[in-house]
Structures are given as structure tokens and as C-alpha cells.
Amino acid sequence: MILVTGGAGYIGSHTCVELLQAGQAVTVVDNFCNSQAESLLRVERITGKTLTVIRADIRDRAAMEQALRSSGAQAVIHFAGLKAVGESVENPLAYYDNNVGGTVSLLQAMQACGVKTLVFSSSATVYGDPQRLPLQEDHPLSATNPYGTSKLVIENMLRDLHRSDADWRISILRYFNPVGAHASGLIGEDPQGTPNNLLPYVAQVAVGARTHVNVWGNDYATPDGTGVRDYIHVVDLALGHLKALERLRQHAECRAINLGTGTGYSVLDMLRAFEQASGRPVPYQIAGRRAGDIAACYADPAQAAQLLGWRAERDLQAMCQDAWRWQSGNPQGYRSDTSNA
Ligand code: NAD
Ligand code: WQD
């Protein structure tokens, strides 16, 4: 049994599908602060299997102990957290409380229940402004905003925990830029309000909900001047979690591993690929740089290949096609009329 915190969210729901399809029993803990219960109904529809859902906040340590005990979980995949960079600058305490405080509470509950296997959602944001590319796991760590600091604090906490008790088995997965959706078109990314991230914004332009994309800067030192990122299909990312769990069965370690493709694409590359996948125009305007953005960021995915036997298999076309299938079938996300979905 695997306990998945934040399992109703974007990456969590895709990981639940892969866990269930691999024959794992799954219990989700989510407070639905950034997700809809509908996503989990759709996970069940895709897989033809059921999962257990507990509505609880990870900051509620007693509820977490109860969830661990009642589920009989042997391991936890911990997605629950807040992730909007701009919001974290506006309201840093909410990020430290939810992300750091929530993780402390979860770890205390795990310790009390003797569950010491954890896969944690970290982010390439812990590399700060890259000093060299591609990013290897031993690149110096830094943070440029409270969201990033919260991930860095948690990473350090996990390393300290493992140093204090070598029975802990911890995989810190540093995601690059997750995009796309399940190939069924039934689950995908469902941002509340204006999307912060590029691909969901582009998808809303293609579907006609927004007029154009603002391209945040075309004067970076990149091939076409726009920002370069390592976009990774969310299903590949989900599969990386299963591989991480597999490795932890054999290794009592605390290790950070990049989950990326190793290839960088620019903003303009992404717009063109999305136009091709959707058959719709994606108008754009060049705007000024977004505060805090970096020019380029992509992974060296060699460690994941070597240690997990994992590599990303879905290309840019699949990322855009799957994102489009989700967006066009569910123009209002999970709040769309689902009767024909
Ligand atoms: P998401 O917001 O879609 O999912 C997070 C889920 O956690 C949501 O269902 C939310 O309701 C739940 N949650 C939040 N706080 C909670 C709490 N206190 N108690 C219980 N549930 C809570 O986000 P996502 O994109 O699926 O991201 C999952 C994880 O991966 C996050 O930790 C995020 O920081 C990390 N990450 C995401 C990205 C990205 O670009 N999506 C990149 C790197 C890392
Ligand atoms: C990608 C590129 C923008 C929107 C963020 C977080 C990071 C991680 C993933 C959680 C950049 C450009 C974007 C738009 C644009 N999240 N862009 N117009 O900034 O790489 O990473 O999400 O851990 O921590 O910082 O992703 O999708 O916001 O931007 O031109 O409307 O698209 O400038 O070059 P980013 P993004």
C-alpha cells in the first residue's frame, strides 16, 4: 500500500494511475486546496480500479498518523504542497507553513508509525540560476524565492533525518518542467485562475479562452532569445516515481535525482509545437522579462538512467498533443460538463 499526499493534484493523479496500473494499492490524502475530487474519480475510470481517498491536511499530524495506520501504508509519495512562485513571494508564511510545516508533520507521523520510505517532490528550482548546464545533481543549491527556499529547506531536513537514522529510505526527485496529460484526455493540469506556467497558458490561447501569449523576454542568451526549459511529459514523470520506489526497496539511502529529458526547448519552440499539435494558431506578443526568470535550465538525466533505469520516452509532440486532448475535451478543466467526457 502506498500513501500519496496531494494525490488529487496534477502530478499526483497521473502517478496514481501508474501505481494502480502496476497493481499497487493506493490511499490518497488531499485537502483539495488546489484540486478537485473529480480527478480521482477519473483515475478510477482510466484504471478500472478503486483507491481510498482521505480528505485531510498534512499539517494535521494526528490525521496523518490515522491515515498511515488505517491504510497500512509501507511508503509515502509526498506531492502535497503549494507551488506558485509569485504567490510565495506575496505570502511566504503560507509556503513555509504548508510546505515545510506540512512536511515536518508528515515525517513525524511517519516516524511514529514506523513508515520510513519516502519519495519527495522537489524541483529544479533548487539549482537557482544555473552556473553550468546541463544540471547535475551535485550543482550548488540555492533559492531565489520562498517557494524554492521551502523545497531547499525540506531537502536539507530529509538529509538530516537520514543522517540521524539510517533506516530512512528517501528519494528526492527534482522535477524539471512537467507538462502534458494522460493520453486518455481524462486527467490533466487544471490551474485555478490565470495559469502561471507556459503550457497551460498556451493551451488556453489555442482553445480561444485567451487572446495571446505574452512571451516574457526575447533578449536572453539563448538561440532565439526566449527562455529555454526542459519540458517533461507528466506520464514519464509519474513513471519515475515507481522506479524510485523500486530502488528504495533495495537501498536505504537519501538521494536526489533529476527527472528531466536532458533537452531544452525555447518558448517559441513550444508555441510552434503547440500550434502543430492543436491545428490552432497561438498568437503571441513579446513582453518584458518576468522577474526572477532564468535564461536556460535543463537536466543531465544520466543518474536517473543509471540508478533508476528510467528515462523520459515521450517527445515534445506527445506532450503537446496530450495537453491539447485534455484542454480541448475539458475547456473548463474538471469543472467542465463531464456528461460527454
Ligand atoms: P498540484 O497543486 O496540482 O497538486 C498538489 C496537491 O496537494 C493538490 O491536490 C492540493 O490540493 C494538495 N495539497 C496542498 N497542500 C496540502 C495540504 N496541506 N494537505 C493536503 N493536501 C494538500 O501541484 P502539482 O503540479 O501536482 O505538484 C505536486 C508537487 O510537485 C508539489 O510539491 C510541487 O511543488 C512539486 N513540483 C511541481 C512542479 C510543477 O511544475 N507542476 C515542478 C516541480 C515540483
Ligand atoms: C517557462 C518559460 C517563461 C509563461 C516554474 C517554477 C519552477 C517549477 C516549474 C515548481 C519561461 C516563459 C511562461 C508565459 C512565457 N515549478 N513564459 N509566458 O518558470 O521554468 O518554472 O514552474 O517547482 O519552480 O519556477 O516555468 O512554465 O512558468 O515558464 O513566456 O505566460 O516560459 O519566461 O522562460 P518556469 P514556466
Side-chain angles (χ1 to χ4, degrees), residues 9-11 30-31 33-35 57-58 79 83 98 147 151:
Y10 173 44
I11 306 169
D30 205 298
N31 67 357
C33 69
N34 196 37
S35 54
D57 194 300
I58 57 165
F79 294 106
K83 62 166 182 177
N98 199 79
Y147 166 73
K151 291 293 178 191

Side-chain angles (χ1 to χ4, degrees), residues 5-13 29-36 56-59 64 78-83 98-99 102 120-125 147 151 173-178 189-190 197 237:
T5 76
Y10 173 44
I11 306 169
S13 56
V29 172
D30 205 298
N31 67 357
F32 300 99
C33 69
N34 196 37
S35 54
Q36 312 283 323
D57 194 300
I58 57 165
R59 289 166 292 184
M64 294 312 298
H78 176 31
F79 294 106
L82 303 177
K83 62 166 182 177
N98 199 79
N99 294 4
F120 171 64
S121 302
S122 189
S123 166
T125 194
Y147 166 73
K151 291 293 178 191
L173 301 180
R174 294 183 181 146
Y175 312 155
F176 281 69
N177 288 56
E189 189 167 9
D190 183 19
N197 294 115
L237 192 65

Side-chain angles (χ1 to χ4, degrees), residues 10 16 23 34 36 52 78 86 104 138 158 160 190-191 206 219 230 249 270 274 286 312 324:
Y10 173 44
C16 286
N34 196 37
Q36 312 283 323
T52 304
H78 176 31
V104 171
D138 62 1
L158 294 174
D160 287 342
D190 183 19
D219 57 352
D230 185 339
R249 273 187 222 115
M270 298 306 286
F274 208 91
I286 303 295
W324 177 242

Side-chain angles (χ1 to χ4, degrees), residues 131-306:
Q131 295 169 13
R132 47 181 188 271
L133 291 167
L135 284 156
Q136 292 175 322
E137 286 83 352
D138 62 1
H139 183 282
L141 304 180
S142 68
T144 51
N145 57 70
Y147 166 73
T149 308
S150 77
K151 291 293 178 191
L152 206 45
V153 170
I154 295 167
E155 283 205 5
N156 287 331
M157 195 160 72
L158 294 174
R159 284 185 275 268
D160 287 342
L161 184 60
H162 182 261
R163 249 177 247 127
S164 76
D165 175 357
D167 288 346
W168 279 90
R169 295 163 184 258
I170 300 173
S171 189
I172 295 171
L173 301 180
R174 294 183 181 146
Y175 312 155
F176 281 69
N177 288 56
V179 295
H182 191 263
S184 63
L186 286 173
I187 58 172
E189 189 167 9
D190 183 19
Q192 314 290 302
T194 309
N196 299 310
N197 294 115
L198 178 65
L199 246 266
Y201 200 103
V202 169
Q204 292 191 6
V205 171
V207 85
R210 301 184 187 274
T211 55
H212 67 278
V213 177
N214 287 305
V215 174
W216 304 130
N218 67 347
D219 57 352
Y220 287 105
T222 60
D224 65 18
T226 67
V228 166
R229 298 290 184 274
D230 185 339
Y231 296 93
I232 173 169
H233 196 296
V234 65
V235 173
D236 280 327
L237 192 65
L239 289 167
H241 293 71
L242 275 68
K243 293 288 193 183
L245 277 178
E246 241 173 68
R247 178 173 169 88
L248 291 180
R249 273 187 222 115
Q250 313 291 333
H251 298 86
E253 63 184 10
C254 176
R255 187 189 285 276
I257 302 180
N258 288 337
L259 292 184
T261 66
T263 303
Y265 289 106
S266 74
V267 176
L268 296 181
D269 290 336
M270 298 306 286
L271 300 193
R272 277 190 292 268
F274 208 91
E275 283 186 327
Q276 209 176 7
S278 65
R280 301 281 182 94
V282 179
Y284 67 90
Q285 284 175 9
I286 303 295
R289 290 184 178 193
R290 185 172 64 177
D293 268 358
I294 54 180
C297 174
Y298 48 91
D300 180 342
Q303 245 210 170
Q306 192 194 331

